Amino acid sequence: MIARVPLAISLAVFVALAALPWLAGDYWTGQFTRSLLYGLLALSLALVWGRGGMLCLGQGMFFGTGGYVMALLTMGKLGPGLADAWLALIVAAASAAALAAIVGVFVFWGASISGPYFAIVTLAIAVVLEQSIRSNYGLGGDNGLVGVPPLPLGTSAFDATPPYLLVLVVVAAAYFTLDATLSRRIGLVLDALRVNPNRLAYLGYSLFAWRVATFAAGGALAGLAGALFVAVDGFASPTLIGFGLSAEALIWVALGGRTVLMAALLGALAVRHGEALLAAWLGDWWLLALGSVFVLVAVAAPAGLLAAPLLWLGARVRR
Amino acid sequence: MAATLLDAVSAVLVLVLVALGLAVVFGMMRVINMAHGELVMSGAFTVVWLQGWHVPFWGCVIAAAVVVGFFGWMIEWVLVRHTRDRPLDTILATWGLSLVLKQAIVLLFGPGSHSVPLPLDAMVGLGALNYPAYRLVVMAIAAVVIAGTYLFLRCTNRGLATRAVMARPATAELLGFNTDRTYSATFAAGAALAGLAGALVAPLVSVDPQMGLGYLVPAFLAILVGGAGALGGVLAGGSAVGASTSLLGALWSPVTVQIVVFGLAVVVIRLRPQGLMRE
Amino acid sequence: MTAPALELVDITAGYGGGVVLNGLNLTLAAGSVTALLGRNGAGKTTLCRICAGLLSPTRGTVRISGTALNDRASHTFARHGVGLVPQGREVFGRLSVEENLRLGAIGKNMTADLVAAYRWFPSLEVLRNRAAGSLSGGEQQMLAIARTLMGAPRLLVLDEPSEGLAPVVTRVLAARLREIAAEAGLTVLLVEQDLELIQALASTCCFLADGGIAETVPVASIGMDFDLVRRHLAL
Ligand SMILES: Nc1ncnc2c1ncn2[C@@H]1O[C@H](COP(=O)(O)OP(=O)(O)OP(=O)(O)O)[C@@H](O)[C@H]1O
Ligand SMILES: [Mg+2]
């Protein structure tokens, strides 16, 4: 079983994040709201790829689906009666989960498409989805949907703190739920699903059901992240759904550590804010550097860069 | 009508040429090279770059194959070799490499698109039809290269050795074959084919840093549709994907066509996981 | 005095954590034909893999004709004259018989002398355009041996060549191998369970047990000595 970051450390991380608005001011609070949502996307990919062993090159499609559904609903494009933001969040996450389930059923049914084939098929689907959204004028084409209303938190739209805290609570809830779930039998089953699926099948588990369920759960998390992101950002753009964001999510998770949830989450935060800090003096070289580090990690440190330190720290804390 | 058909043949040949390098690497080494599209792009940019130095076009084409082939040799040596028993990490590493190559090109040439002048301006009369000579030349070269690759693998000692290494690497080692060297040669050859394809299409398309993905996905779908491993599969898959894209393009918008073709390809892969050309 | 064709000195080897061979020593004089016996799982195939460089020992030295080749790739062993016919034959099933034979020579940058191969194994000539995968077990075994011989090895290692063959076929194989070994002056290491084949070919017989060579006896003596065989081979 994969080692787990102890509760004390994850709690410390979230408490530190909760203090952020009082330490860092509105600008950074707004930035961290977004990167926390990217972190949630990273968590979904860590679940699907790191634990479930399904390398999805198009995880962005669920983020984007959640985002577009949220935008359509809250902007009242599907009828004013459906414009309630909280309902929309749920519907958005459910739609992304449904898309994931459909893709999953299609891909994993019967002689399942697995490994590298799965990666390519998910990439193809993401590319097609991005293309179709870009060419769909009902969805705003290349410009996307502008003017998504902010979350109705009853506070000033210019105060970045309430949405930040809401997002933090959602991400923390998702994290602790996932962490607790994966430390039980389900986690063991997923490890078997990744490492030795045939043996799992011998034991009478349905690989199909487990794969589809895991993929759909990942889709739901990504969809929720995308829906919140669109509400925070105020618009839904086709970049949320396609190749670019999917590639970025892959980088966060790979650099952080694909099998350790906290490492994936922190990977997203670190890369996003590393970019904000370093892009100033690295300029365009930043992406080159990031890509090169990513390649190096894939070749020489597949466990990621943050997983080992986190687990080491965890072992110290436990003692 | 005849022009549409010729366009379809041209689309098929170019797609098969692009997919060929990918198929050689995938079929022989079971390695998925996600940077293949960027190798095609590198070939095209080699032409852009050398044309700036007034190198004649056909010199640029040869140089592109050589330069990108050398790239491939290095990629195998630095990345692929070390992830051979971790196929998903090979995907990841080459995928990362594709981002690096893209960004390197942005830094060197800027994010915008470039155009390469047609080396042959003439139209060729084919009965009632006038067709651009350069397209015909590209089709001919593609056909020759595809046939040459096939003949190389079928009829030469080195091709036989390559097939043996592909089938049973350990046994091939027992017989004295240096499998590591075969792998790097294979990867370099696959890259050189990508570079060649990129150079040849450069005058026909807009050359920009983002062009790689547009080649990678159809090429992969072609291979998966046709069936990996056998060269016949690349031909079949390339024909299916290339011809349907080109023919449907006469009826619908490019995006619709892409959605339909990708969708169909995914369905075919789903229904025949071994590909159309399963032995 | 020429160097021994094969010297294994203090070899320790295994898979993962498990040790299969432990401090094994074995020397084969050039031109000798030696049989190796041992029960299933004793490590015979492991020893063959070490002789051919498919597996690196964790300790000890492998010398081929006097040259130490530890940790070198398997093709280097082949270039130094080792030819292993692996257990399970491992012919290239999709390639034709003739292509399989040619590979044996191409691997060593030699020109393929198919005439010699067909002289040794006439039945292969009839089959030469068939896919190797469609041959019978015995035919595949002949092919595997012929393919290795195409590379003109000096040390021929045969891992259970009689496995799965009819006794008649084994006898033909024995006769063939004896001719070839004599004609080419080969050193042969024959891993076998079939006593008849051993008696037809080998002069010395080594028993592999507990990770080392437990006993070495002249082949002539094992025919009578059932106790010896039972001690090393019975369950
Ligand atoms: N690839 C492997 N990984 C792990 N253990 C192995 C491997 N190959 C062999 N072994 C183990 O090493 C031991 C020796 O195996 P080996 O194949 O050398 O036996 P053998 O004497 O050739 O047996 P047989 O007569 O059945 O061919 C066995 O216990 C086997 O389980
Ligand atoms: Mg054995």
Side-chain angles (χ1 to χ4, degrees):
Chain A
M1 175 123 207
I2 282 169
R4 186 181 167 208
V5 176
L7 223 53
I9 291 192
S10 16
L11 271 176
V13 169
F14 281 107
V15 168
L17 283 169
L20 184 99
W22 290 274
L23 299 174
D26 259 4
Y27 173 75
W28 284 107
T29 306
Q31 290 301 307
F32 266 86
T33 314
R34 290 168 178 80
S35 48
L36 272 176
L37 291 170
Y38 287 135
L40 188 53
L41 174 62
L43 282 180
S44 79
L45 189 56
L47 169 68
V48 167
W49 169 40
R51 301 303 294 267
M54 299 169 272
L55 174 55
C56 176
L57 295 184
Q59 192 69 6
M61 68 178 133
F62 307 118
F63 190 88
T65 301
Y68 270 92
V69 170
M70 180 76 180
L72 286 173
L73 285 171
T74 53
M75 288 166 77
K77 296 216 175 215
L78 300 179
L82 296 170
D84 179 68
W86 309 118
L87 181 71
L89 273 182
I90 295 170
V91 176
S95 319
L99 175 65
I102 292 170
V103 171
V105 167
F106 177 75
V107 169
F108 296 124
W109 182 259
S112 123
I113 298 180
S114 60
Y117 294 83
F118 175 75
I120 291 164
V121 167
T122 51
L123 173 64
I125 296 175
V127 168
V128 164
L129 262 182
E130 181 175 356
Q131 295 279 356
S132 41
I133 291 215
R134 280 189 189 282
S135 65
N136 185 322
Y137 297 108
L139 295 176
D142 274 336
N143 300 323
L145 296 168
V146 185
V148 181
L151 293 166
L153 293 169
T155 51
S156 149
F158 299 102
D159 187 356
T161 306
Y164 174 77
L165 291 179
L166 174 79
V167 164
L168 184 64
V169 167
V170 171
V171 174
Y175 174 82
F176 287 114
T177 315
L178 261 187
D179 189 46
T181 318
L182 290 181
S183 67
R184 305 161 80 101
R185 195 184 60 113
I186 291 184
L188 271 179
V189 175
L190 286 190
D191 291 341
L193 189 66
R194 180 183 71 245
V195 179
N196 202 336
N198 293 335
R199 194 155 315 160
L200 191 63
Y202 277 132
L203 293 176
Y205 287 85
S206 155
L207 300 184
F208 172 74
W210 277 92
R211 286 193 170 122
V212 172
T214 310
F215 200 49
L221 285 180
L224 181 63
L228 285 166
F229 190 91
V230 162
V232 168
D233 228 21
F235 70 97
S237 85
T239 52
L240 299 183
I241 211 165
F243 172 83
L245 185 62
S246 305
E248 273 191 75
L250 213 60
I251 295 182
W252 306 328
V253 176
L255 287 192
R258 59 184 83 160
T259 52
V260 179
L261 293 175
M262 184 46 83
L265 176 66
L266 292 181
L269 293 182
V271 174
R272 292 298 306 178
H273 295 293
E275 176 170 356
L277 293 173
L278 294 177
W281 60 275
L282 278 181
D284 285 339
W285 292 89
W286 155 255
L287 260 179
L288 196 70
L290 181 65
S292 313
V293 173
F294 174 65
V295 173
L296 277 180
V297 166
V299 173
L305 298 177
L306 298 179
L310 275 173
L311 295 177
W312 177 81
L313 208 63
R316 303 273 305 229
V317 168
R318 237 183 235 127
R319 206 164 318 121
Chain B
M1 187 60 210
T4 317
L5 277 180
L6 263 182
D7 281 344
V9 174
S10 156
V12 166
L13 284 170
V14 168
L15 178 59
V16 173
L17 184 62
V18 170
L20 191 61
L22 200 61
V24 165
V25 167
F26 186 38
M28 305 279 153
M29 304 170 63
R30 295 280 117 190
V31 163
I32 290 196
N33 177 14
M34 299 295 294
H36 191 76
E38 278 61 36
L39 293 178
V40 172
M41 173 199 71
S42 307
F45 270 98
T46 307
V47 175
V48 170
W49 178 58
L50 288 177
Q51 293 242 298
W53 295 86
H54 306 290
V55 177
F57 179 78
W58 296 108
C60 298
V61 172
I62 292 166
V66 172
V67 167
V68 179
F70 178 70
F71 265 12
W73 182 79
M74 287 205 304
I75 294 168
E76 199 278 338
W77 190 55
V78 177
L79 303 185
V80 178
R81 180 163 298 192
H82 306 287
T83 54
R84 194 168 295 150
D85 43 1
R86 297 179 281 144
L88 288 189
D89 285 334
T90 314
I91 296 190
L92 224 53
T94 52
W95 165 281
L97 180 73
S98 76
L99 304 177
V100 169
L101 283 176
K102 225 182 287 185
Q103 193 58 23
I105 292 288
V106 169
L107 287 170
L108 288 171
F109 294 89
S113 72
H114 301 253
S115 65
V116 172
L118 274 177
L120 285 174
D121 247 342
M123 303 291 276
V124 174
L126 298 168
L129 176 75
N130 268 333
Y131 206 72
Y134 181 68
R135 275 181 179 275
L136 291 174
V137 171
V138 169
M139 286 158 70
I141 294 176
V144 167
V145 170
I146 294 161
T149 307
Y150 182 81
L151 290 177
F152 169 80
L153 285 172
R154 282 280 133 191
C155 304
T156 67
N157 278 350
R158 207 168 272 270
L160 179 61
T162 310
R163 284 187 288 151
V165 169
M166 160 180 86
R168 287 180 179 275
T171 312
E173 278 274 333
L174 278 183
L175 298 178
F177 293 102
N178 185 341
T179 49
D180 276 344
R181 200 180 298 160
T182 310
Y183 286 140
S184 32
T186 306
F187 204 90
L193 285 170
L196 178 71
L200 287 176
V201 299
L204 301 174
V205 299
S206 99
V207 178
D208 69 74
Q210 309 301 330
M211 67 190 280
L213 193 60
Y215 287 99
L216 179 75
V217 176
F220 257 127
L221 292 179
I223 291 176
L224 296 186
V225 165
L231 278 185
V234 186
L235 271 180
S239 308
V241 174
S244 50
T245 307
S246 170
L247 293 175
L248 293 176
L251 304 173
W252 297 328
S253 78
V255 175
T256 319
V257 171
Q258 200 179 24
I259 294 169
V260 171
V261 171
F262 280 20
L264 280 179
V266 172
V267 171
V268 171
I269 295 166
R270 176 65 278 214
L271 296 179
R272 288 191 69 108
Q274 247 80 56
L276 293 172
M277 297 298 283
R278 173 168 49 193
E279 33 253 27
Chain C
M1 184 67 206
T2 52
L6 170 75
E7 276 177 283
L8 299 178
V9 185
D10 192 23
I11 295 289
T12 298
Y15 304 90
V19 173
V20 177
L21 302 179
N22 195 357
L24 178 140
N25 292 293
L26 177 67
T27 304
L28 302 185
S32 65
V33 179
T34 310
L36 183 75
L37 276 102
R39 40 178 84 126
N40 292 123
K44 305 182 295 296
T45 298
T46 306
L47 187 120
C48 293
R49 290 166 60 83
I50 284 175
C51 295
L54 284 176
L55 183 72
S56 294
T58 46
R59 210 184 65 207
T61 314
V62 185
R63 260 189 230 110
I64 305 294
S65 303
T67 317
L69 289 180
N70 283 39
D71 298 324
R72 303 291 291 276
S74 184
H75 67 262
T76 315
F77 282 68
R79 301 269 163 117
H80 277 79
V82 181
L84 167 65
V85 180
Q87 186 170 19
R89 303 165 192 123
E90 303 189 6
V91 297
F92 298 101
R94 304 263 291 293
L95 305 183
S96 72
V97 167
E98 191 152 312
E99 283 174 322
N100 268 276
L101 290 173
R102 276 170 50 210
L103 280 167
I106 299 170
K108 306 247 206 107
N109 297 328
M110 295 162 52
T111 38
D113 181 4
L114 292 168
V115 178
Y118 294 143
R119 185 160 50 79
W120 288 324
F121 299 104
S123 57
L124 291 179
E125 182 162 18
V126 187
L127 302 165
R128 68 170 179 245
N129 291 322
R130 284 263 296 276
S134 70
L135 304 190
S136 77
E139 291 164 341
Q140 288 191 15
Q141 190 60 261
M142 307 258 184
L143 176 57
I145 295 171
R147 181 181 65 182
T148 303
L149 290 173
M150 295 294 288
R154 284 188 304 262
L155 169 63
L156 180 66
V157 182
L158 298 154
D159 194 355
E160 310 220 12
S162 77
E163 195 180 49
L165 302 191
V168 193
V169 181
T170 312
R171 242 164 279 151
V172 176
L173 189 64
R176 220 43 112 250
L177 282 172
R178 196 169 44 216
E179 275 169 43
I180 295 165
E183 188 180 322
L186 285 178
T187 311
V188 179
L189 178 61
L190 173 68
V191 172
E192 249 313 325
Q193 313 276 10
D194 185 301
L195 288 181
E196 200 182 333
L197 184 54
I198 290 176
Q199 280 166 334
L201 277 182
S203 50
T204 321
C205 180
C206 303
F207 289 93
L208 180 63
D210 302 325
I213 303 295
E215 205 161 343
T216 306
V217 299
V219 164
S221 72
I222 59 171
M224 340 283 133
D225 195 350
F226 282 109
D227 183 47
L228 181 76
V229 175
R230 191 169 317 121
R231 199 154 16 106
H232 290 297
L233 299 183
L235 283 173

